[in-house]
Every structure is written in C-alpha cells, then in structure tokens.
Amino acid sequence: MRELQASVIADAVEKLCMDAAYYLPEDVKAALKARSEQEESEIGKYILAEVCENYKVAAEEQMPLCQDTGTALFIIEMGQELVVTGGGMVDAINEGVRRGYTNGYLRKSMVAEPIFERVNTKDNTPAVIHTEITEGDGLKITLLPKGGGAENCSAVKMLRPADGLQGVMDFVVETVNVAGGKPCPPVIVGVGVGGTADYAAYLSKKALNREIGEHNPNPNYAKMETELLERINKLGVGPQGLGGVTTALAVNVEYFPCHIASLPVFVTMNCHSQRHKSIEL
Amino acid sequence: MAEIIKLKTPLTDEDVMKLKAGDVVSVSGVIYTGRDAAHKRLVECLERNEPMPIDVKGQIMYYVGPSPAKPGQPIGSCGPTTSYRMDPYTPTMLEQGMKGMIGKGPRSKEVIEAMQKYKGVYLAAIGGAAAVIAKAVKTCEVITYEDLGAEAIHKLEVEDLVCFVAVDAQGGNLYETGRLPYKKD
C-alpha cells in the first residue's frame, strides 16, 4: 500500500487547471501549423494564423487560451493499492479546481442546478470526475477543460448492428456537418463506439485525450479515423464555419465490447483549443 | 484577404447597409457585452413594460463572458461565445434599435429576417483567439447585472477588433455560401 496526502492531490490539481488553460499542448500546435499550410480559403488562413498567434500570447502572458475555461472534466486512473489520507479524493480534486480557477484568473462557468435557478457556483466546482481502477499503486490525473460551445454539439445515436461501419461513419460526419461553425472548428472529434450509451459517451471523452496523429492500435479503427478525417475535411465547413478545407484536426475513435442488440455511437466535439493535460503522482 | 473596412460605433443604418457577407471589418469604439442570462433579463424588462437598463440604439452587442482580469489589465481573455443561444432574444433587441452583433456560429432564420427588417449586421469574431482579442480591449466596466459575474453587461472600449461580416442586412450569409467553394464530392 502506498499513502498519498489529499493536500498533494489538491496542489497538483490547482497547477494542472492553470497549465491546461494557458498552454496549448504541443500536438495541437503542430496540427494547427501543418493545417495552416494546407488551407485554401483566405479567411481560413487568416483565422488559423490568429489562432496560432493566440497560443503564443496566452503562454507568454499566462492568460487563458479561451475565455471559456470549461467544465473541469477529469479522468482519474487510480491504483488499487493507493490510499488517500488526510481527506477525501473527490474533495481534494474540487479543492484544487477551486484554487486553480480562482488564483489563475480562469472563468467560473458552472451553475449549481441546470433548470430552475442556474446560480453560478463562483469557483467552477464541482468537477466532473470519471474514475478507472488500475493495478498497482499509481495515480494518473488527466484534465480536459471542456468548453460549453463545442460540448453543446455532441450527439449520441443508438444504431442497429445492421447499420455497421457505414452507419457509424455517416453519423459522425453528419454530426460535424450539422454543427457547422458552432463548435469553433477546426475541431477534434472524439468518438466512442460500443458499451452502453453512457459508456460510449465516456469513451468519446477519453478519445479526446489521445495525441493528435496517434491512431487506434486496431488497424480497422485506425483506417476509420483516417477516412473520417478525410470526409470531414471535404465538407467545406472550414475554420470557424466560414468555409475552407480545415474542418477537423483529428478524429479519434475508441471502442468497447457491446450487447448483441446494440451499436451505440457517441460523438464529442471539441474546439481547436484542445486542452488536455495529465500528471502522475 | 479583402481590404479591412473600419467601423466606428455607434452604427448608423448607412454603416450597416454598405456591409456585405465576407467583408472584413475592424471595430473601434464602445460595445456592450451580453450572453444568455443578460439577454433574458433585458427582454423580460420589456415584457414588464419597463425600459431596458442600457440604450441599445445604434449599438453593437458582443456575445462574450470574459475571463477575470489580472491586476493591471482591463479584461481577461474574451473571445466570442456561440451566438445561436441568443437567437430567441435577438429580434426584440433589433426592434429596440440594436445595429450590430459580434459572436460566432450561424443564426436562425428568424434572426436573419429581423436583421433585414430592422437593418442589422452580424459579425463573426474568431472563437478561441481570446487572448489576442483581449489586446483590442482598452477599457472595461460593468454596467448592469453585476450579480451575473462574467455574464454581466460590460461596456468595452475596443480598438481595431477584427471581425468578418457573417450575415448582412440583405440576407447574405457566409455560413451558407462560404463553404460552397470548398465542399468536395
């Protein structure tokens, strides 16, 4: 058994929130640069150049890349031989979010209840936390700050097994097409296939954490990712939906076994400000 | 890219009518911020036959909820939010004399019709270029609905905020036509 103080987790999460908001990951920078060179639309080129300038300014001035610093969405991979002492795990994560969003001048975007009052919690808590139990005594904390505009374009479809590959591909492409300029293209598309409706949703979030350019190890799914990206970039949506050949930077697909009757597909849309950062404690 | 047209607020009908979807503009002067919650309250004022707390005649509303300002800065990161969420309130705002909107993403048919009727223009700023956009903001003060935090109505003084004319007052719509040359097979 390994012991880990809750305060160590809170401190690490505080820093993680700020770093994720200020510094665009290298894989996203590289993808934006590469796509800028291929863009054909004049407005599209201008937008991509401004987006590249933006990540430089944000890092230099330690300002959020986007004013929407998102729902603090965590994926926690926690070893079964790890014991958190001196406080609760969930409390420690929320304490880190509270301090990170306050001390880092990040926007607080959470309301306490979604329909009736919608009062801001003023510290961006609570975080949305997904947990996976792993072997050993490690702790890996991944933060995906999830902006509202892109998340609003996410979609689920419970396909019939007979709909197969074509059905899945068509649904993903149509989701990006319908979203148009709303999710701040060029987007990163996370796709979860299989499991149950809720698990496919989780897989689609997990897919967003995969580095751009890295493919699913299953060659069928890797091929699907490449073909989806090609089809999406032929839609014409372009940067910010104003036209062009850069509609998506990547499509990442994750899958899980599923019921004989089912073929769930969940598409999570993310903007070009694809913030994702992990730490191990 | 096309030559940049300079726009100074407040806008006149004439300013609006000369703009065409696809034009590039740079906005200078006073603009007001507002998102879902503030728009809801503004329109509710009218429903109660009360005046709105800001006079929107000739003004531009910028759909943004900024990040908090760091000490010494007028504002934090402040890129546009997705505009369609304001669509239910927009025809009323245009009827009240609002001339322009800055946001991102497509608008509803009702909004586009109201823009033609009342002569309004919809400008797209670059979503996610929020740190760069903050540099165009010279001053920022909360005007009303302070309890809404980032969603309060702020008065901003901006200098050369670059935007694209996304929908013009003749119904020209870059979200529909912009993609046509790049749509393949």
Side-chain angles (χ1 to χ4, degrees), chain A residues 92-108:
Chain A
I93 291 170
N94 280 319
E95 175 60 21
V97 168
R98 187 173 292 122
R99 296 204 312 244
Y101 276 71
T102 306
N103 300 337
Y105 296 91
L106 312 186
R107 198 180 80 185
K108 292 81 181 170

Side-chain angles (χ1 to χ4, degrees), chain A residues 185-278:
Chain A
V187 291
I188 288 89
V189 187
V191 183
V193 190
T196 45
D198 57 307
Y199 201 73
Y202 169 62
L203 288 175
S204 72
K205 293 291 187 293
K206 212 175 157 180
L208 289 175
N209 191 41
R210 198 199 306 152
E211 300 267 309
I212 295 175
E214 209 175 276
H215 282 288
N216 191 303
N218 179 320
N220 286 329
Y221 285 82
K223 185 162 175 271
M224 190 176 151
E225 290 171 343
T226 306
E227 287 176 9
L228 279 168
L229 185 62
E230 276 172 22
R231 275 183 65 183
I232 288 167
N233 283 330
K234 284 179 183 171
L235 290 171
V237 172
Q240 296 293 306
L242 298 174
V245 297
T246 315
T247 302
L249 299 177
V251 182
N252 293 348
V253 184
E254 294 290 331
Y255 68 94
F256 193 79
C258 69
H259 191 280
I260 48 172
S262 301
L263 178 49
V265 189
F266 199 105
V267 181
T268 291
M269 303 282 279
N270 212 64
C271 57
H272 59 76
S273 198
Q274 160 62 354
R275 296 152 287 183
H276 63 106
K277 195 164 173 63
S278 300

Side-chain angles (χ1 to χ4, degrees), chain A residues 131-199:
Chain A
T131 320
E132 289 193 15
I133 308 296
T134 58
E135 286 183 7
D137 60 5
L139 177 65
K140 185 175 176 190
I141 302 175
T142 297
L143 170 62
L144 294 155
K146 197 70 185 68
E151 181 66 8
N152 283 351
C153 299
S154 298
V156 63
K157 194 161 188 182
M158 304 304 283
L159 293 166
R160 298 169 302 181
D163 296 322
L165 175 63
Q166 192 65 38
V168 174
M169 301 262 287
D170 289 349
F171 175 61
V172 175
V173 174
E174 193 48 23
T175 301
V176 178
N177 190 35
V178 167
K182 291 201 285 275
C184 268
V187 291
I188 288 89
V189 187
V191 183
V193 190
T196 45
D198 57 307
Y199 201 73

Side-chain angles (χ1 to χ4, degrees), chain A residues 22 39-43 46-47 50-51 53-55 57-58 61-69 101 104-108 111 120 122 148-150 152-153 176-177 179-184 233-238 240-245 272-273, chain B residues 1-2 4 22-24 35 64-71 73 75-82 84-85 104-106 124-135 147-148 150-151 162 164 166 174-185:
Chain A
Y22 304 150
E39 181 51 56
E40 295 167 16
S41 140
E42 289 300 315
I43 287 180
Y46 179 86
I47 291 169
E50 285 291 288
V51 164
E53 175 65 16
N54 189 68
Y55 70 66
V57 172
E61 309 212 359
Q62 301 204 316
M63 280 176 83
L65 288 150
C66 179
Q67 76 287 342
D68 185 354
T69 44
Y101 276 71
Y105 296 91
L106 312 186
R107 198 180 80 185
K108 292 81 181 170
V111 292
N120 198 298
K122 295 195 162 64
N152 283 351
C153 299
V176 178
N177 190 35
K182 291 201 285 275
C184 268
N233 283 330
K234 284 179 183 171
L235 290 171
V237 172
Q240 296 293 306
L242 298 174
V245 297
H272 59 76
S273 198
Chain B
M1 204 168 63
I4 297 180
D23 285 349
V24 188
R35 292 173 42 110
V64 59
S67 297
K70 283 189 174 178
Q73 301 289 331
I75 200 165
S77 296
C78 54
T81 194
T82 318
Y84 78 98
R85 298 197 314 273
K104 68 174 173 86
I126 303 176
V132 168
I133 290 172
K135 290 192 171 296
D147 62 298
L148 294 178
E151 292 203 71
V162 175
F164 307 100
L174 195 56
Y175 288 108
E176 280 181 1
T177 54
R179 66 159 80 178
L180 299 178
Y182 306 102
K183 192 170 161 42
K184 293 171 187 173
D185 68 31

Side-chain angles (χ1 to χ4, degrees), chain B residues 75-118:
Chain B
I75 200 165
S77 296
C78 54
T81 194
T82 318
S83 307
Y84 78 98
R85 298 197 314 273
M86 271 54 75
D87 284 357
Y89 313 109
T90 302
T92 307
M93 297 289 287
L94 287 161
E95 194 183 350
Q96 291 296 307
M98 176 183 73
K99 285 286 137 202
M101 299 151 276
I102 303 175
K104 68 174 173 86
R107 309 303 301 264
S108 69
K109 193 167 147 274
E110 290 75 18
V111 168
I112 293 170
E113 282 170 4
M115 286 170 60
Q116 288 170 263
K117 185 172 175 190
Y118 300 110

